[in-house]
Amino acid sequence: MKLIHRWLAGEVVNNTVGIKVTGGPFNGRTKIVQLDRDGLPPARLRARGGLGQTTGNPAAWHIYTASPAPDTAAGWVYGYAGADTTGASAEGPTDAHTP
């Protein structure tokens, strides 16, 4: 449990860190991610559900992008980029880092 608390506090442990999420239905939550070899988080993530999810579209996916945030413990935040309207919702979450 102590390890999880360290990640949630923004500390990098075993190349893993908790990054705050801003905006959208996951505003205020923390996403625990594994960093790549260069110490970068996945550039984009997709999430489904969250606060404010409508009953008309319970399976809607939301896109978040990583941005440097030197004023945070982790050095990064995930900002809300909008709902995924590509129709790729059946693919599941995407956590791959893109340069």
Side-chain angles (χ1 to χ4, degrees), residues 12-79:
V12 177
V13 181
N14 297 328
N15 210 36
T16 303
V17 67
I19 298 177
K20 295 290 180 188
V21 176
T22 60
F26 293 96
N27 186 49
R29 295 188 186 182
T30 301
K31 173 71 175 169
I32 296 174
V33 298
Q34 187 166 6
L35 304 175
D36 68 11
R37 282 185 244 141
D38 297 324
L40 300 173
R44 178 182 109 121
L45 68 91
R46 290 173 64 221
R48 176 169 56 188
L51 298 175
Q53 188 69 33
T54 65
T55 56
N57 191 7
W61 287 92
H62 302 276
I63 300 171
Y64 292 84
T65 55
S67 300
D71 58 330
T72 64
W76 295 88
V77 303
Y78 276 111

